[in-house]
């Protein structure tokens, strides 16, 4: 399963943690129209390990709110 790193820009801080931890180089950081970088998952390279979701500081913070 290809991970969904964020559904809207507010759910991503652009920290590049997911990009840095991906051992398959399946995540690329792309600039938006305002120059902020957001991760894009390449479905052909992704093996669905989930490390990018586990390292995400925003997803981790949201877990603590439930």
């Amino acid at each position: 399963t290809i991970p969904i790193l964020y559904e809207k820009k507010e759910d991503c801080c652009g920290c590049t943690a997911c990009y840095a931890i991906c051992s398959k180089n399946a995540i690329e950081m792309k600039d938006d129209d305002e120059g902020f970088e957001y991760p894009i998952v390449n479905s052909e390279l992704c093996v669905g390990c989930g490390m990018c979701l586990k390292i995400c500081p925003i997803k981790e913070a949201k877990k603590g709110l439930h």
Side-chain angles (χ1 to χ4, degrees), residues 8-50:
K8 51 188 175 187
K9 290 182 180 181
E10 296 82 26
D11 293 336
C12 177
C13 64
C15 70
T16 72
C18 58
Y19 168 80
I21 203 165
C22 183
S23 64
K24 301 298 180 186
N25 296 317
I27 299 175
E28 182 179 354
M29 299 300 291
K30 293 242 181 176
D31 290 345
D32 69 1
D33 294 337
E34 297 171 341
F36 294 102
E37 290 187 324
Y38 291 93
I40 305 295
V41 178
N42 181 329
S43 60
E44 293 180 17
L45 297 176
C46 180
V47 295
C49 71

